[in-house]
Amino acid sequence: MPGDNDITVQIEQAREILSSDELAPICEMVFWRDDLNGTPAYVVANSIGTVRYARHEEDGTHRFEVIDVEGENFLEKQDQGAFSPVHDERSSLFPTASENHYPHAYESIAQIFDDPNAPDMAAVHTAAHNWEDEGGHRGEHGSLDVIQARAPFIAAGKGIAALGEVNRGIRLIDIAPTILHALGAKATDGGRSATGEVAGPTLLKRQDGVAATDIVDEGDRPERAVTFLLDGCNNNVLHDMAARGEIPNIARLMEMGTTFSHGAASSFPTVTLANHTAIATGTHPGHHNVLHNSFWDRSEKKRIDTNHPATWHLWSQWVSSEVETIHDAIHRSFPGEFTASIDEPADGGADYSTFGMFRKGRGTGFPESPHELPHASAQFVRPFKDYEWSTAVDHMGLEQATGIWSGHFKGDDYPLPKFMWVNFTLTDSAMHRGGPHSDISEASLRDTDGRIGEIIASIEKAGAFEETAFFLFADHGMEESNPEVTGNWGKILRDEGISFRDEGYGFIYVGVED
Ligand SMILES: [Zn+2]
């Protein structure tokens, strides 16, 4: 067991290596918490600069103050609309740290360190970096940069203003408050604000996000809300395909309602379950505690692996009791109403949940020959197991959703949902495999659009379309990586004698043996 002093030296060594010129092609930056006279403060470093900033609490929100900068303040550029539309993204692939943009960077970095299981430092991979050792995905996410953080955002239907495409963006943590506001949900007294202080009234028990009230028509409340989550969907690609008429059902929602051209920014780390939970609870990962795809539980001294088919159903064991989900908040405001969560691990409080069925030992019917299903692009579903698996999962989601809207599924009767959340996984699989700017990526969006069309048709058939608000978004973006830029900082740190665990890629815990 190494001594404390030894660990401090190793932590400093690791931070120096991760911010060195040598690692600059693969490591965009490394950051950690380093308080100043009792005020929370953070250091962000790479080969072009070191930025130290502090976080202050003001009227229930955070204000950030840059304390000092050595070299360049690369975090200053925070345009959520950078590298768009799609031809701008394609003509500037692999932006470097001095070219890149980091939406909400100060907030997105700081929140992670509010969790007691936060790492000693977080290393962020570059836009170009290709994890060759981990299977070499052509498309990547997880970083702080705008293309990996930027998810689409569309709102439409009853109670939603028809503003068309608006040049702005929101954050994923703003989505649940926006939906609750649209539904006319009751605020709770004693709710906690973004600073964690009792501020009430808030729409959720803890609320880091803010409702986008300007897209809601308060005189025309929807009776119901439905959300479509397209995992890992690149915002520019979705906009481009909608404009070209390739995804008519999504384009219909865009024509009916309001689309933010800069989309919705995910919280760091821009990975799946951390951000599904951020959307469901309106709080950052550092506050809802589903910190990363995997992380180290410091008190229990064990690894928590959140994003895995074998553990997804355990989500409720990891999420903080200090937050509530949108399902909980809807039940608080509308007692007796029914909510459904389809194919979604972050399902707390839902009356119907796919994972709830699994927990009860009931299947939802996995299709035997996925390549014969509708909305299954033959050229990809046959050769690629991941495309086939995601197609089967998303088809299963479609059957649950349309079944519930019809009033019956697998022998059970259901009322019309007040709220339904539908998660689609195919876009993430396909955009990882081919990168966001590939034929397989486009096929996944066409296939998903077909499923969305069938769900909307089932809502029309139930006579509920005119009274429903729709929200479409993703959990993070997806960025093209460069297959020529490979490597892993793990070996370099180990060769220097540093003993550590690297969880979820980039969460570095020093002095804990791997
Ligand atoms: Zn995801």
Side-chain angles (χ1 to χ4, degrees), residues 264-421:
S266 58
S267 305
F268 184 79
T270 60
V271 299
T272 297
L273 212 49
N275 278 288
H276 282 237
T277 309
I279 303 165
T281 62
T283 62
H284 288 296
H287 303 155
H288 62 56
N289 299 158
V290 185
L291 204 52
H292 204 322
N293 284 341
S294 67
F295 58 91
W296 184 249
D297 184 326
R298 289 179 181 273
S299 55
E300 297 287 320
K301 296 190 170 35
K302 65 172 187 189
R303 176 175 194 251
I304 309 282
D305 200 358
T306 61
N307 195 36
H308 192 276
T311 57
W312 280 326
H313 66 288
L314 301 175
W315 176 85
S316 61
Q317 296 181 10
W318 312 311
V319 74
S320 164
S321 59
E322 301 295 310
V323 304
E324 68 179 354
T325 67
I326 185 168
H327 298 279
D328 296 325
I330 287 172
H331 286 131
R332 189 160 40 69
S333 279
F334 308 102
E337 290 280 4
F338 168 71
T339 73
S341 177
I342 311 288
D343 285 359
E344 174 54 63
D347 63 350
D351 299 302
Y352 174 91
S353 162
T354 310
F355 287 93
M357 295 284 271
F358 295 160
R359 285 189 289 265
K360 284 182 223 158
R362 290 183 64 186
T364 53
F366 203 80
E368 274 175 27
S369 356
H371 49 271
E372 285 161 18
L373 296 172
H375 320 295
S377 290
Q379 70 271 41
F380 301 117
V381 81
R382 287 176 184 277
F384 301 125
K385 280 284 163 211
D386 48 354
Y387 202 98
E388 184 191 69
W389 184 83
S390 296
T391 294
V393 168
D394 288 357
H395 179 79
M396 201 174 84
L398 165 71
E399 293 211 315
Q400 294 168 73
T402 55
I404 287 170
W405 285 104
S406 79
H408 317 279
F409 179 67
K410 297 265 167 199
D412 292 321
D413 292 339
Y414 294 98
L416 289 181
K418 182 78 179 172
F419 177 65
M420 177 182 275
W421 169 304

Side-chain angles (χ1 to χ4, degrees), residues 104-375:
H104 312 284
Y106 298 127
E107 173 195 17
S108 201
I109 289 169
Q111 52 83 22
I112 276 295
F113 297 98
D114 293 337
D115 189 307
N117 293 322
D120 295 308
M121 70 203 79
V124 178
H125 69 92
T126 57
H129 185 224
N130 182 289
W131 288 107
E132 188 191 36
D133 322 359
E134 310 294 341
H137 284 149
R138 193 62 191 262
E140 265 308 342
H141 60 86
S143 290
L144 194 66
D145 75 56
V146 60
I147 295 169
Q148 299 191 29
R150 184 170 57 208
F153 179 78
I154 300 165
K158 175 82 165 173
I160 302 298
L163 304 176
E165 191 164 328
V166 183
N167 255 330
R168 59 167 283 202
I170 56 168
R171 301 166 297 175
L172 293 182
I173 53 170
D174 301 326
I175 291 177
T178 301
I179 296 170
L180 290 166
H181 176 73
L183 285 170
K186 289 195 200 94
T188 169
D189 282 328
R192 289 177 191 276
S193 70
T195 58
E197 286 186 74
V198 175
T202 53
L203 289 160
L204 291 138
K205 191 171 163 188
R206 168 143 190 179
Q207 188 177 320
D208 292 340
V210 178
T213 53
D214 51 335
I215 63 165
V216 171
D217 179 352
E218 288 175 34
D220 192 30
R221 299 275 182 216
E223 193 55 42
R224 316 177 187 286
V226 173
T227 65
F228 300 117
L229 193 168
L230 278 58
D231 202 298
C233 182
N234 176 295
N235 185 51
N236 283 332
V237 171
L238 179 137
H239 280 246
D240 177 53
M241 289 186 69
R244 287 192 281 116
E246 296 257 22
I247 44 174
N249 297 297
I250 294 172
R252 178 185 178 194
L253 296 177
M254 293 170 91
E255 279 157 26
M256 280 165 51
T258 298
T259 302
F260 288 163
S261 50
H262 305 171
S266 58
S267 305
F268 184 79
T270 60
V271 299
T272 297
L273 212 49
N275 278 288
H276 282 237
T277 309
I279 303 165
T281 62
T283 62
H284 288 296
H287 303 155
H288 62 56
N289 299 158
V290 185
L291 204 52
H292 204 322
N293 284 341
S294 67
F295 58 91
W296 184 249
D297 184 326
R298 289 179 181 273
S299 55
E300 297 287 320
K301 296 190 170 35
K302 65 172 187 189
R303 176 175 194 251
I304 309 282
D305 200 358
T306 61
N307 195 36
H308 192 276
T311 57
W312 280 326
H313 66 288
L314 301 175
W315 176 85
S316 61
Q317 296 181 10
W318 312 311
V319 74
S320 164
S321 59
E322 301 295 310
V323 304
E324 68 179 354
T325 67
I326 185 168
H327 298 279
D328 296 325
I330 287 172
H331 286 131
R332 189 160 40 69
S333 279
F334 308 102
E337 290 280 4
F338 168 71
T339 73
S341 177
I342 311 288
D343 285 359
E344 174 54 63
D347 63 350
D351 299 302
Y352 174 91
S353 162
T354 310
F355 287 93
M357 295 284 271
F358 295 160
R359 285 189 289 265
K360 284 182 223 158
R362 290 183 64 186
T364 53
F366 203 80
E368 274 175 27
S369 356
H371 49 271
E372 285 161 18
L373 296 172
H375 320 295

Side-chain angles (χ1 to χ4, degrees), residues 409-457:
F409 179 67
K410 297 265 167 199
D412 292 321
D413 292 339
Y414 294 98
L416 289 181
K418 182 78 179 172
F419 177 65
M420 177 182 275
W421 169 304
V422 189
N423 176 34
F424 296 103
T425 184
L426 179 67
T427 39
D428 186 75
S429 304
M431 290 191 190
H432 267 308
R433 173 174 283 281
H437 311 292
S438 61
D439 290 345
I440 193 171
S441 157
E442 293 203 357
S444 74
L445 255 168
R446 273 191 296 271
D447 289 356
T448 303
D449 183 76
R451 294 191 185 96
I452 288 172
E454 283 205 43
I455 295 171
I456 291 175

